[in-house]
Amino acid sequence: MRLVVFDVDGTLVDSQHLIVAAQGVAFAEHGLACPERREALSVVGLSLPQAFRRLVGEDGPIEGLSESYKRAFNALRLDPDYEEPLFPGMGDLLAKLHARNDLRLGIATGKSRRGVEHLIAANGWEGWFATTQTADDAPSKPDPAMLRQAMDEAGAVPSATMMIGDTTYDMAMAVSAGAAAIGVAWGYHSPGALFGAGAVTVVDHAGALADLFSGPLPPA
C-alpha cells in the first residue's frame, strides 16, 4: 500500500495573506516590528515556537508571540478577506487519489490539530486521510518524527511513501525518514532550495503532480 502525505500551507492551501496578517497582529501586540513578507513566509511549515524562534531569536517572546498568533489567526479566519483557497487543481487531485484503492492519503503539517480539523471540515474531506500529523503530535519539521508516525499509523514503509511539500523543511523531513521528497513550486520556498534539501523532483502545477501517480513512486 502506497502512502501519499501532503503538507498543508503552501502545498494544498494558499494561506499566505492570513499567515502574514496574523503575524502582524502578534508582533504588534508585543511592540515588535513585523518581519518583511518574504521572511515571514520563509518559516511557514515550522511549528509556531520554531518559527518565532527563527524570526526573533532565542531571547525573544516566543511563547507570547505564539499565543498571540493563534488568537489572531483564529479571529482573522472568520474574515472573508482572509480566506484560505486551495491551490488550483489540488482539490480535484485529492478527490481522485481518495477514490483509488491502491494508496492512502496523509497530512503532515505545522498547523495545529484544530486548524487541520477546520480545513478538513471546510472542504468535506472527512474520512479521506489515513493519518493526520500536526504540530500537536510531534516535534517540528524537519525532524522526521511526524512522517515516521504517519507511516506507522497508515501501515506504510518508507520506500512506498511520498512526502509532498513546498518547503525545505518538508524535503529534509522526507529524506531523514527515507521517503521520496516531492516539491511543489507554487509555495514559499524556491525550486532550487527544494532540490538542495533533497527533492527528487519539483512540479509546477497539479497536473504534473498527478502524473507522478501513474507509475512507480520516484526513488527516495
Side-chain angles (χ1 to χ4, degrees):
M1 181 65 68
R2 296 194 293 178
L3 174 64
V4 183
V5 182
F6 288 89
D7 170 56
V8 174
D9 294 312
T11 301
L12 293 176
V13 177
D14 186 1
S15 49
Q16 59 179 308
H17 303 304
L18 178 53
I19 290 170
V20 170
Q23 279 193 22
V25 172
F27 277 91
E29 286 185 357
H30 290 270
L32 298 173
C34 190
E36 294 184 359
R37 187 180 189 87
R38 184 172 181 177
E39 185 181 7
L41 292 174
S42 73
V43 298
V44 174
L46 298 174
S47 67
L48 288 180
Q50 285 289 88
F52 283 116
R53 188 170 286 112
R54 292 202 179 201
L55 293 175
V56 301
E58 290 286 349
D59 296 328
I62 295 167
E63 184 176 346
L65 284 168
S66 298
E67 291 303 315
S68 293
Y69 176 91
K70 285 188 281 189
R71 288 194 300 270
F73 191 96
N74 290 328
L76 290 169
R77 180 191 281 151
L78 303 177
D79 187 334
D81 290 338
Y82 295 106
E83 64 178 343
E84 300 176 275
L86 298 179
F87 283 103
M90 294 306 288
D92 288 341
L93 174 61
L94 279 183
K96 290 175 181 177
L97 296 180
H98 168 61
R100 291 173 54 165
N101 59 13
D102 62 332
L103 55 80
R104 290 179 174 176
L105 299 179
I107 283 177
T109 176
K111 276 185 175 297
S112 67
R113 180 153 296 280
R114 176 182 177 183
V116 170
E117 290 174 351
H118 174 87
L119 174 73
I120 288 173
N123 289 282
W125 293 342
E126 291 90 345
W128 285 27
F129 299 97
T131 178
T132 56
Q133 302 297 321
T134 74
D136 299 325
D137 307 308
S140 176
K141 300 173 185 178
D143 189 294
M146 187 181 294
L147 188 51
R148 286 173 176 162
Q149 289 176 186
M151 291 187 288
D152 287 344
E153 188 170 339
V157 297
S159 61
T161 298
M162 177 188 292
M163 177 68 211
I164 300 171
D166 70 299
T167 70
T168 57
Y169 317 126
D170 298 308
M171 304 300 98
M173 176 177 68
V175 170
S176 294
I182 308 299
V184 300
W186 53 79
Y188 306 136
H189 289 184
S190 70
L194 298 177
F195 278 119
V200 296
T201 189
V202 177
V203 299
D204 59 7
H205 58 90
L209 188 55
D211 290 343
L212 295 178
F213 301 102
S214 61
L217 287 179

